[in-house]
């Protein structure tokens, strides 16, 4: 079994980084997940004038400052994308493909980049709509399955499911060459609504409607309530109190994912509040 | 305690039960099911005599999985007087399961 971290931070934007440095100052055993660029939203910003202490910097410049800061504090970003987090009671299990990390508390700092759900997607979740085709595929043996794929990885899942399903429709939401089994029908159209009675039975697209028993929506990033099952949301944001505590004990959230305004220094401030409360609860 | 059951004793143990019954539909290939297992064990421990807890492997019991139209697992169903009174799809933290169960016990 892997070691159990005191705190796991999910996301490497300003909220996550600020949480990480404060955890380090408090001498906690931490891990932070994210990417080399920290945040696509950071490197894209042309001019930033509202981050105290840094007048008229570009996003790339601010990123460099952040980079030096965490380097000096010996914080390294684990470049992995967390697929799911399970609240096990006295710890959290963080899943990355087949690997599991464990942490006593977690800080969600995932930003806001998951697209809007398709109409009916949330209503039929678990009633024919799913986010992990390979997980539920055996339940669709001999049935009609539709996969809405937002990236190349979805093709692999489609190929696997096509071995079990009677019919597999693949709706690519991106352009490119598709490496799909021959028995898969590709439909180039835009999904509009998932409909059914107590279960999914149709997918309505802009130009046509198909009958289907299941619809899998395979996106790059998933909403926090799917990332952490049981997490309470308020509209599209994670519900937090003044301590940045969510409805799940020892699970905190900070940054854009908790709500507007979407700003760097608000994100950083929340990251700090979240982690200091997490630290306090650990002792 | 959570006991494993199958098609042959489902009616007797679940449908004809006088006590509320919690059934965890799972399969060995399902990651979230493996995580939920120990959580359900703990809940069962705490609930004690007030409810019976079972798990059913959907691979080995496809007829039951189809009858209850299981389309995503883990799926936990609460039965009372032979009827499904609650369906929880996907992993849930212990606290959520306890809250939902407390409505029926
Ligand atoms: C073009 C542009 C200009 C902007 N200009 C300004 C400005 O001038 N001033 C200002 O204050 N704000 C500005 N903003 C807004 C600012 O970018 C955001 O408010 C800020 O980045 C939010 O920080 P965050 O840490 O909450 O999330 P993000 O910066 O979005 O970081 C979240 C990170 O977490 C990662 N992540 C998500 N899910 C997972 C997972 N499951 N596993 C691992 N990693 C994950 C993401 O990939 C991302 O890298 C601008 C935004 C844009 C797009």
């Amino acid at each position: 079994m892997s070691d159990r971290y005191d705190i796991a931070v999910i996301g490497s934007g300003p909220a996550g980084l600020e949480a990480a440095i404060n955890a380090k100052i408090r001498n906690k055993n931490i891990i932070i997940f994210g990417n080399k660029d920290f945040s696509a939203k950071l490197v894209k910003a042309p001019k930033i004038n509202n981050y105290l202490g840094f007048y008229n910097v570009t996003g790339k410049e601010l990123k460099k400052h952040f980079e030096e800061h965490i380097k000096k504090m010996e914080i390294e970003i684990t470049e992995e994308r967390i697929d799911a987090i399970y609240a096990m009671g006295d710890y959290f299990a963080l899943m990355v493909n087949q690997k599991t990390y464990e942490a006593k508390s977690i800080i969600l700092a995932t930003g806001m980049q998951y697209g809007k759900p398709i109409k009916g997607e949330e209503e039929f979740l678990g009633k024919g709509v799913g986010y992990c085709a390979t997980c539920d595929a055996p339940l669709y043996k001999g049935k009609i399955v539709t996969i809405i794929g937002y990236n190349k990885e979805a093709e692999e899942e489609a190929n696997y499911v096509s071995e079990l399903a009677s019919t597999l429709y693949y709706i690519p939401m991106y352009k490119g060459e598709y490496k799909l089994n021959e028995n898969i029908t590709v439909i180039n159209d835009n999904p509009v609504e998932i409909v059914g009675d107590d279960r999914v039975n149709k997918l309505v697209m802009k130009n046509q409607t198909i009958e289907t028993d299941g619809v899998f929506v395979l996106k790059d990033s998933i909403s926090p309530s799917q990332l952490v099952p049981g997490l309470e949301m308020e509209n599209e944001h994670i519900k937090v109190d003044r301590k940045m505590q969510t409805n799940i004990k020892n699970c905190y959230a900070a940054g854009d994912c908790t709500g507007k305004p979407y700003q760097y220094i608000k994100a950083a401030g929340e990251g700090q509040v979240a982690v200091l409360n997490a630290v306090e609860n650990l002792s | 305690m959570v006991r494993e059951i199958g098609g042959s004793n489902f009616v007797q143990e679940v449908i004809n039960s006088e006590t509320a019954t919690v059934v965890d539909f799972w399969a060995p290939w399902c990651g979230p099911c493996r995580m939920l297992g120990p959580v359900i064990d703990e809940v069962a421990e705490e609930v004690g005599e007030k409810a019976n807890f079972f798990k059913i492997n959907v691979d080995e019991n496809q007829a039951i999985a189809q009858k209850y139209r299981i389309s995503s697992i883990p799926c936990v169903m609460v039965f009372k007087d032979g009827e499904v009174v609650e369906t929880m799809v996907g992993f849930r933290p212990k606290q959520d399961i306890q809250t939902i169960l407390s409505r029926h016990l």
Side-chain angles (χ1 to χ4, degrees):
Chain A
M1 181 111 314
S2 53
D3 348 324
R4 194 169 289 180
Y5 293 94
D6 292 321
I7 299 169
V9 179
I10 302 93
S12 53
L17 294 175
E18 182 69 27
I21 63 165
N22 281 281
K24 198 81 181 186
I25 290 170
R26 295 304 189 90
N27 224 355
K28 293 297 168 207
N29 179 16
I30 63 150
I31 184 161
I32 172 167
F33 297 95
N35 55 71
K36 264 201 301 294
D37 274 346
F38 298 157
S39 156
K41 286 193 184 153
L42 187 57
V43 293
K44 268 189 210 148
K47 268 284 168 276
I48 303 163
N49 283 324
N50 65 343
Y51 200 100
L52 185 64
F54 296 90
Y55 179 69
N56 198 22
V57 286
T58 64
K60 283 209 180 70
E61 284 163 351
L62 190 58
K63 185 214 152 194
K64 260 192 97 194
H65 287 291
F66 288 174
E67 200 159 28
E68 282 162 19
H69 194 154
I70 65 160
K71 211 165 161 196
K72 290 230 165 83
M73 295 187 68
E74 290 170 11
I75 292 167
E76 270 196 51
I77 292 175
T78 304
E79 284 180 57
E80 277 175 320
R81 182 158 280 275
I82 302 294
D83 299 319
I85 301 172
Y86 302 118
M88 301 300 292
D90 47 4
Y91 75 97
F92 293 87
L94 293 85
M95 321 299 280
V96 182
N97 298 325
Q98 295 307 319
K99 240 186 307 171
T100 308
Y101 292 93
E102 292 185 9
K104 292 179 201 160
S105 55
I106 54 166
I107 315 268
L108 302 171
T110 51
M112 280 290 284
Q113 59 264 92
Y114 33 95
K116 263 210 157 77
I118 300 160
K119 194 159 176 241
E121 183 181 321
E122 284 165 332
E123 184 190 344
F124 288 108
L125 184 58
K127 298 173 185 158
V129 173
Y131 295 106
C132 177
T134 47
C135 300
D136 293 333
L139 298 168
Y140 288 94
K141 210 185 248 168
K143 298 200 168 156
I144 309 171
V145 177
T146 304
I147 292 182
I148 305 175
Y150 286 80
N151 53 37
K152 300 266 329 157
E153 283 90 76
E155 293 168 25
E156 263 171 57
E157 293 207 41
N159 286 336
Y160 169 69
V161 180
S162 74
E163 288 163 18
L164 295 156
S166 67
T167 307
L168 190 92
Y169 296 112
Y170 188 77
I171 307 177
M173 303 300 284
Y174 54 93
K175 293 238 152 61
E177 298 248 317
Y178 313 122
K179 273 216 197 81
L180 293 167
N181 288 351
E182 275 182 9
N183 59 347
I184 296 175
T185 311
V186 176
I187 301 180
N188 285 301
D189 204 341
N190 278 322
V192 177
E193 187 182 355
I194 298 165
V195 288
D197 35 64
D198 64 333
R199 297 284 136 151
V200 168
N201 54 35
K202 280 191 192 76
L203 175 70
V204 181
M205 288 166 286
K206 220 168 146 206
N207 303 314
Q208 61 190 307
T209 294
I210 51 171
E211 307 237 325
T212 186
D213 298 306
V215 177
F216 289 98
V217 188
L218 308 181
K219 299 182 207 174
D220 282 328
S221 44
I222 50 175
S223 100
S225 60
Q226 281 136 40
L227 183 64
V228 189
L231 188 69
E232 195 180 333
M233 305 285 289
E234 211 163 32
N235 301 319
E236 50 189 352
H237 296 116
I238 303 170
K239 195 174 170 189
V240 287
D241 65 12
R242 296 248 334 136
K243 293 188 163 176
M244 311 316 292
Q245 164 83 56
T246 68
N247 68 311
I248 298 173
K249 195 165 172 262
N250 294 329
C251 171
Y252 298 82
D256 286 0
C257 62
T258 69
K260 285 179 180 163
Y262 298 156
Q263 302 283 299
Y264 296 119
I265 210 155
K266 176 262 195 188
E270 287 191 352
Q272 185 187 39
V273 174
V275 86
L276 293 182
N277 284 307
V279 168
E280 193 169 303
N281 256 354
L282 282 171
S283 50
Chain B
M1 203 186 56
V2 183
R3 281 182 290 151
E4 184 96 41
I5 53 167
S8 57
N9 48 357
F10 189 84
V11 169
Q12 182 200 334
E13 296 278 18
V14 179
I15 304 301
N16 296 343
S17 169
E18 310 233 311
T19 333
T21 306
V22 181
V23 183
D24 174 11
F25 293 84
W26 74 290
W29 40 262
C30 153
C33 300
R34 286 199 296 273
M35 304 309 294
L36 189 64
V39 176
I40 299 276
D41 287 345
E42 279 181 36
V43 174
E45 204 63 47
E46 281 161 33
V47 168
E49 304 278 276
K50 281 183 282 180
N52 294 328
F53 285 78
F54 296 106
K55 54 182 189 172
I56 286 195
N57 182 326
V58 295
D59 275 351
E60 291 164 6
N61 297 283
Q62 292 185 4
I64 292 185
Q66 268 177 13
K67 171 148 194 259
Y68 291 98
R69 307 181 78 179
I70 307 294
S71 72
S72 197
I73 53 172
C75 178
V76 176
M77 286 185 173
V78 183
F79 288 79
K80 245 181 143 173
D81 304 319
E83 301 284 328
V84 179
V85 290
E86 205 76 62
T87 304
M88 296 176 248
V89 177
F91 180 93
R92 298 288 177 101
K94 190 165 138 192
Q95 214 186 329
D96 280 20
I97 300 172
Q98 283 167 327
T99 311
I100 289 171
L101 275 186
S102 64
R103 290 186 214 143
H104 303 285
L105 302 183

